[in-house]
Amino acid sequence: MKYLTYCFFISILMMVRVLYGGVVPDGYRVETISTPEDVFLEVGGIGFLQDGSVMFCSREGQVWQYKNKQWSLFADGLYEPLGLYVDPKTDDIFVVQRPELTQLIDTDHDGKADYYKTVGQGWGISNNYHEYAYGPVRDSKGNFYGALNLGHDEESGNLVHDSIMNRSAKYRGWFFQINTTGEFVPWASGLRSPCGVGINKDDELFYTDNQGDWVPTSTLHHVVKGRFYGHPASLEDHPDFLGKDLNAITVEKYDTLRTKPIVWIPYGELANSPGNLAFNETQGKFGPFEDQIFIGDQTLANVMRVVLEKVQGEYQGVVFNFVNGLQCGVIRNRFDKDGSLWLGQGARGWNSVGPKPFGIQKIVWDGKTIPTEMHAISLTDQGFKITFTKPMRESELKDLSSYTIKHWGYKYDSHYGSDKMNITSVDIKKINVVNSKTVELELPLVTDRVYHIECRVKADDNSELKNRIGYYTLNRLR
Amino acid sequence: MVKTLTTVCMSVLLCPILLIAQNSVDDSTLQPSEDKGFFEFIVGTVKGRLAFDKTLLIVTPGSQVTIILKNSDEMIHNLLLCEPGENVPGEVGRLALALGAEGMAKQYVPDSEKVLYHTKLVYPGQQDEFTFTAPTELGDYPYVCTFPGHAQTMKGILWVTDKIDHAEREEDHDGEELEIPDEVKKKYILKPKDQAMVIRAGVENTPSNCIAVGLPSRVHYVFDPDNGQVLYGWRGDFLDVGPDRGWSLDRGGQPCHTLGVRFSVGANGCPFHIGTIDQQPQIKFIGYQREGFPRFDFRVDDLTVSQTIISDQSRHGLIYYYEVEGATEDLYFKLDTSKVKLKSDVGLFQSGALMIPKDKASSFTIDVTPLL
């Protein structure tokens, strides 16, 4: 009877049903990859070998190789690896496991790793289930980077101002570097549940965090060495705070110490638990979104698109939905050399809105169809400029009723998440149609707010925008 | 505020009594509706899993019922009591999801006649409750969490019944959704067959950064890479990794169980000392070789040590085959000899330690047998 119930439970998890959405921009399609039979392949990381093989590490500790549509087991017995990196020149394979960064070496070339080499370690784990380690990404000099989740164990660490998550072991809540000599270098602090790490071609580092205590809604951060990103638990290992009572420091003080996210990702609308960043550096193979960033979400089973710009020397930018209605929550994504975006999925323990408990899909562009989307939203002196992927109807571009704009803030404290604070509708003062693909909206600008910019303009070819809302994080004015 | 707190405190205190008695209790803050009785339930969340910790609540028709949702999980939940119907939780869950951007503001409570009563969204560490008069119509009234994704697994039943004897249903239902069936548990019991298994995972009562090795001989051990030593061995089946893998169901990440009886190998920190018997070396782990009997490589100060660990079915104990590169001084190998007997093909015992002359350090064997 128990077994039947369990099977029923699992079958509910597996039942195919479309829950909501199903947005896919024109010209893109979602392909589903069959995973090996009887394997619970919840993807923790994705990488590509030069021969076209795709490597996946799984939360259950295995690494699977997918080559010519055949599956083979490359490594196993790893400790919940949540990130995999393949060196593009040497095919060297690295994973971040809970306790360390490891290279998996197939010395006898039989298709199975036989040497598990410790590349770097230096952080603590205390057997609390939430002590995830994420990464690795690698810069052009060969250094690796990753991020360490806080623990969720009130017995093994201080709960600063009644926080929910804590520093259950050394360097929890830190961004780290493993340098080329294998040394662990604490890089930045204040992280909570930093499931996604990313690096662009200029070696700039980023991470996403999941909404929770001290994280009012999910976030995207630009990582700069030495900065503090908001969750105080990690400060226990910070040299400037050694021996200090973190509860004696006020929330207001922490607020002044932190670096704010470069993009707020509204909870429930766009993401609840964002994953890693995939930089579209495919030279046009993934459509008209070159150099933009793609991020999946574990709960809402969607993929978002982020466009950043620098204002007063710091990044800020806009996030859109891109694709939703996927079969399962997405925690990993990565572009292959053909410009397809592979999605690694899994939602064990938190569930996703998709019908499957794990899986692999990929988003492929047909190489010709231009989707109808806002290409970007950027800040001007007096408002925002929206650029489109194709010519739009001029009559609608200049019509005030084509847009709905509002903004809100978030409250920073030790509570789990924050409501949208002071949601304020914005009246557009003036519209300037620059050309058929560009419009400027003049409106009042207020910093520390997320601007919800909804646009209902149709394209000249009669198509409608598949994703109508951009969320622009306004930290700084031009 | 004070009154609310008092009520909550009293409710918590009264709860066990109410659950046992399940009938009216005199209390000035709660008035039973006529003499139909009242019930109070604290429904919690299961750690590491999206599930309520109670999945069957039993009440009599027309009674006054309070349901308190107490959230000890690390994410947001709610609890909606619904009209009867097997598919209702799924349907209400989908409607909640369809609220999209409005979901948070609406507490993920959809406008549906199927929803009878509900809490608001309850944040980690918080609680919320609602009180209502139980329907007079007998039946199963499902309750569900409608936070996105949760309705698949997070639900239970309020059974409105006039039966006096609930034993059969309670027994049938008892923990059914929460307990992992034996058939499933079995799948996570690792038993090496023709080759060694090397598993990096948390193991109960063992430092977190350890490596468990299961051998076909059914003699297994845990290696501690931070100290370059075997911590202990055991005989039997190898390892239950279900708690770590969450039986493919929950968040997992809990320590694995060693299956069998552990034996001592006299572990006492790094066994190597260079030059003098009390020297304390720095250990740096290099990695391990998986093929055949696993081999562990680590640095002991400037030495490179490779340790292959061998066992056989006939006895407790392990055999360590060492290869050492770079020895310029004699080595001392020390274990807790009150727990084990050592035998070696090289060296001499001096003050409880095995002295290995530098010219014989390149390869040697140490046989470790636990004293019973």
Side-chain angles (χ1 to χ4, degrees):
Chain A
M1 183 61 196
K2 273 184 192 167
Y3 188 65
L4 287 178
T5 315
Y6 178 85
C7 291
F8 177 65
F9 207 66
I10 291 283
S11 68
I12 290 173
L13 288 171
M14 310 263 294
M15 204 158 40
V16 176
R17 58 195 162 93
V18 176
L19 279 160
Y20 85 126
V23 168
V24 181
D26 293 339
Y28 293 83
R29 64 179 187 274
V30 177
E31 294 179 1
T32 301
I33 312 297
S34 306
T35 51
E37 229 173 292
D38 296 329
V39 177
F40 207 82
L41 212 168
E42 301 166 279
V43 178
I46 307 172
F48 305 99
L49 301 185
Q50 291 171 54
D51 69 1
S53 295
V54 196
M55 310 299 287
F56 298 92
C57 64
S58 77
R59 273 177 81 187
E60 291 204 345
Q62 298 174 324
V63 176
W64 284 87
Q65 180 166 7
Y66 183 64
K67 185 180 180 182
N68 301 330
K69 302 198 170 173
Q70 299 293 313
W71 286 98
S72 58
L73 184 66
F74 179 72
D76 67 355
L78 300 168
Y79 198 168
E80 202 156 17
L82 290 174
L84 183 144
Y85 173 85
V86 179
D87 186 296
K89 292 191 190 81
T90 60
D91 273 356
D92 290 344
I93 297 166
F94 300 85
V95 290
V96 164
Q97 318 185 50
R98 279 182 179 243
E100 63 170 47
L101 173 65
T102 310
Q103 184 180 356
L104 303 170
I105 305 169
D106 176 12
T107 49
D108 57 5
H109 304 289
D110 67 349
K112 224 173 157 184
D114 43 55
Y115 199 82
Y116 292 45
K117 182 182 170 190
T118 300
V119 177
Q121 56 184 160
W123 62 89
I125 46 175
S126 73
N127 272 344
N128 176 257
Y129 78 98
H130 224 302
E131 291 168 340
Y132 302 111
Y134 311 102
V137 293
R138 196 177 202 184
D139 67 18
S140 57
K141 296 181 188 74
N143 302 298
F144 288 101
Y145 300 87
L148 302 168
N149 211 113
L150 290 174
H152 178 228
D153 180 4
E154 55 278 12
E155 284 161 21
S156 69
N158 190 6
L159 297 173
V160 183
H161 291 303
D162 296 322
S163 302
I164 297 150
M165 310 289 281
N166 61 0
R167 178 245 188 226
S168 48
K170 214 167 43 166
Y171 291 115
R172 306 312 314 181
W174 280 75
F175 200 90
F176 66 89
Q177 181 197 57
I178 300 287
N179 67 20
T180 50
T181 58
E183 191 188 352
F184 172 83
V185 184
W187 203 256
S189 59
L191 288 65
R192 179 187 177 272
S193 198
C195 179
V197 177
I199 191 165
N200 64 13
K201 56 191 173 195
D202 299 323
D203 284 348
E204 291 178 305
L205 296 160
F206 301 85
Y207 80 92
T208 60
D209 215 328
N210 287 197
Q211 177 185 284
D213 46 338
W214 305 96
V215 183
T217 190
S218 295
T219 54
L220 170 62
H221 298 266
H222 174 214
V223 184
V224 175
K225 193 179 182 186
R227 285 189 182 173
F228 164 68
Y229 291 95
H231 200 300
S234 56
L235 295 177
E236 223 168 302
D237 292 305
H238 194 295
D240 295 351
F241 292 83
L242 287 183
K244 287 196 179 159
D245 178 4
L246 297 177
N247 276 307
I249 300 170
T250 62
V251 174
E252 292 72 26
K253 180 67 181 170
Y254 284 125
D255 197 9
T256 63
L257 296 174
R258 71 176 171 140
T259 298
K260 288 175 187 164
I262 57 173
V263 176
W264 292 105
I265 306 172
Y267 199 76
E269 285 168 62
L270 270 188
N272 289 10
S273 329
N276 74 303
L277 297 85
F279 291 85
N280 180 15
E281 294 162 357
T282 63
Q283 285 148 1
K285 290 178 185 161
F286 195 65
F289 305 114
E290 190 69 12
D291 285 329
Q292 299 189 359
I293 302 165
F294 291 80
I295 302 172
D297 186 69
Q298 187 188 21
T299 305
L300 299 185
N302 62 327
V303 173
M304 298 164 277
R305 180 167 63 86
V306 172
V307 191
L308 298 179
E309 59 181 345
K310 275 203 168 159
V311 177
Q312 290 181 39
E314 293 284 340
Y315 278 119
Q316 61 189 34
V318 63
V319 56
F320 305 93
N321 181 64
F322 182 60
V323 166
N324 66 18
L326 294 162
Q327 64 174 0
C328 179
V330 178
I331 80 158
R332 294 290 172 256
N333 61 358
R334 194 185 283 272
F335 285 101
D336 67 14
K337 64 180 190 323
D338 300 327
S340 298
L341 184 62
W342 289 71
L343 310 177
Q345 301 168 321
R348 170 162 58 89
W350 284 274
N351 290 5
S352 84
V353 301
K356 293 193 73 179
F358 62 87
I360 297 166
Q361 294 187 301
K362 64 175 177 174
I363 304 177
V364 183
W365 186 50
D366 68 6
K368 52 180 195 282
T369 310
I370 300 297
T372 312
E373 295 288 329
M374 287 183 264
H375 181 264
I377 297 176
S378 57
L379 187 69
T380 64
D381 291 344
Q382 293 176 315
F384 294 101
K385 179 171 77 179
I386 308 176
T387 50
F388 298 89
T389 51
K390 59 167 68 163
M392 308 298 279
R393 289 180 182 168
E394 199 181 333
S395 59
E396 292 181 20
L397 280 177
K398 63 185 182 195
D399 183 354
L400 280 172
S401 70
S402 298
Y403 309 92
T404 304
I405 300 179
K406 53 190 171 179
H407 61 70
W408 59 78
Y410 289 106
K411 188 163 183 258
Y412 167 76
D413 61 21
S414 68
H415 291 98
Y416 184 102
S418 157
D419 290 336
K420 295 172 182 171
M421 309 302 287
N422 306 319
I423 301 174
T424 308
S425 290
V426 179
D427 291 329
I428 297 170
K429 286 194 277 189
K430 195 178 148 198
I431 296 176
N432 174 27
V433 179
V434 179
N435 58 44
S436 63
K437 288 166 77 174
T438 312
V439 62
E440 288 175 347
L441 309 178
E442 199 179 310
L443 48 86
L445 295 171
V446 188
T447 55
D448 274 333
R449 309 289 283 174
V450 175
Y451 277 73
H452 161 119
I453 299 168
E454 183 174 349
C455 173
R456 293 175 293 271
V457 177
K458 276 189 185 156
D460 279 349
D461 64 10
N462 286 332
S463 61
E464 293 184 16
L465 291 165
K466 277 280 162 65
N467 293 292
R468 292 177 173 177
I469 306 172
Y471 302 85
Y472 188 97
T473 295
L474 184 54
N475 288 336
R476 289 177 166 77
L477 298 172
R478 284 210 184 273
Chain B
M1 182 60 194
V2 172
K3 188 174 183 295
T4 317
L5 271 178
T6 315
T7 313
V8 168
C9 292
M10 292 191 71
S11 309
V12 171
L13 289 171
L14 282 169
C15 171
I17 304 164
L18 285 167
L19 285 178
I20 295 162
Q22 293 206 340
N23 56 30
S24 57
V25 171
D26 278 337
D27 182 86
S28 55
T29 60
L30 293 169
Q31 290 299 325
S33 55
E34 297 165 11
D35 60 349
K36 300 266 175 64
F38 63 84
F39 300 86
E40 185 171 280
F41 303 98
I42 296 181
V43 179
T45 47
V46 181
K47 193 161 182 157
R49 169 126 32 118
L50 288 183
F52 291 121
D53 67 355
K54 290 184 191 67
T55 54
L56 181 66
L57 311 177
I58 304 172
V59 301
T60 49
S63 57
Q64 183 175 302
V65 183
T66 298
I67 295 179
I68 302 165
L69 172 61
K70 198 172 174 191
N71 185 6
S72 55
D73 194 26
E74 38 124 335
M75 55 185 318
I76 303 171
H77 299 294
N78 65 9
L79 190 154
L80 279 61
L81 184 68
C82 306
E83 288 284 2
E86 205 180 316
N87 299 323
V88 169
E91 187 186 325
V92 172
R94 279 192 292 279
L95 289 172
L97 195 58
L99 293 172
E102 302 303 310
M104 288 299 286
K106 292 195 164 172
Q107 315 292 316
Y108 282 107
V109 178
D111 297 321
S112 163
E113 289 171 355
K114 296 279 165 69
V115 179
L116 298 173
Y117 308 99
H118 63 88
T119 66
K120 60 183 193 319
L121 286 173
V122 182
Y123 285 69
Q126 309 286 311
Q127 61 181 44
D128 190 33
E129 60 182 76
F130 56 87
T131 298
F132 59 99
T133 303
T136 48
E137 199 168 318
L138 307 181
D140 288 355
Y141 293 76
Y143 57 91
V144 60
C145 172
T146 57
F147 195 80
H150 297 192
Q152 294 171 23
T153 55
M154 217 170 167
K155 53 195 176 184
I157 284 168
L158 178 86
W159 182 29
V160 180
T161 179
D162 52 9
K163 282 188 185 162
I164 307 289
D165 184 9
H166 308 143
E168 195 183 339
R169 180 149 191 198
E170 279 176 319
E171 202 173 299
D172 196 34
H173 199 88
D174 186 26
E176 196 173 82
E177 277 81 3
L178 304 179
E179 246 181 64
I180 310 292
D182 290 344
E183 291 90 333
V184 173
K185 282 185 177 168
K186 261 190 219 162
K187 292 186 189 168
Y188 295 87
I189 306 273
L190 302 184
K191 296 179 187 178
K193 290 198 183 80
D194 47 3
Q195 55 183 336
M197 286 178 164
V198 184
I199 305 290
R200 199 131 196 190
V203 176
E204 59 187 337
N205 304 321
T206 304
S208 307
N209 184 25
C210 282
I211 303 164
V213 177
L215 297 171
S217 62
R218 290 173 56 78
V219 180
H220 320 296
Y221 62 91
V222 160
F223 189 84
D224 164 16
D226 295 338
N227 294 294
Q229 64 172 343
V230 178
L231 271 183
Y232 55 82
W234 71 98
R235 270 182 98 152
D237 285 340
F238 174 40
L239 202 63
D240 176 6
V241 294
D244 179 60
R245 314 261 163 99
W247 300 277
S248 304
L249 199 64
D250 66 27
R251 290 172 204 160
Q254 308 297 332
C256 304
H257 307 300
T258 51
L259 302 170
V261 182
R262 291 186 189 182
F263 59 81
S264 173
V265 293
N268 201 9
C270 177
F272 285 101
H273 309 275
I274 304 169
T276 63
I277 201 162
D278 296 321
Q279 189 261 356
Q280 291 299 324
Q282 292 287 315
I283 308 302
K284 191 167 189 294
F285 191 62
I286 297 170
Y288 56 91
Q289 155 76 42
R290 288 282 308 264
E291 309 274 299
F293 286 110
R295 188 190 80 225
F296 297 87
D297 301 334
F298 47 95
R299 306 274 294 172
V300 178
D301 285 347
D302 295 332
L303 310 182
T304 304
V305 176
S306 294
Q307 180 179 8
T308 305
I309 298 156
I310 299 161
S311 75
D312 69 67
Q313 210 153 4
S314 63
R315 59 183 194 101
H316 288 341
L318 298 166
I319 298 163
Y320 304 157
Y321 173 68
Y322 283 106
E323 290 177 302
V324 177
E325 265 177 44
T328 55
E329 293 177 81
D330 296 340
L331 302 182
Y332 292 87
F333 183 89
K334 201 159 63 173
L335 292 177
D336 182 349
T337 44
S338 70
K339 304 241 170 70
V340 287
K341 194 175 145 217
L342 300 182
K343 229 168 68 182
S344 177
D345 58 346
V346 292
L348 296 163
F349 281 95
Q350 287 182 3
S351 336
L354 182 68
M355 198 279 278
I356 301 155
K358 62 184 176 195
D359 58 330
K360 289 187 179 168
S362 61
S363 73
F364 56 94
T365 302
I366 294 176
D367 189 328
V368 181
T369 310
L371 299 170
L372 295 175

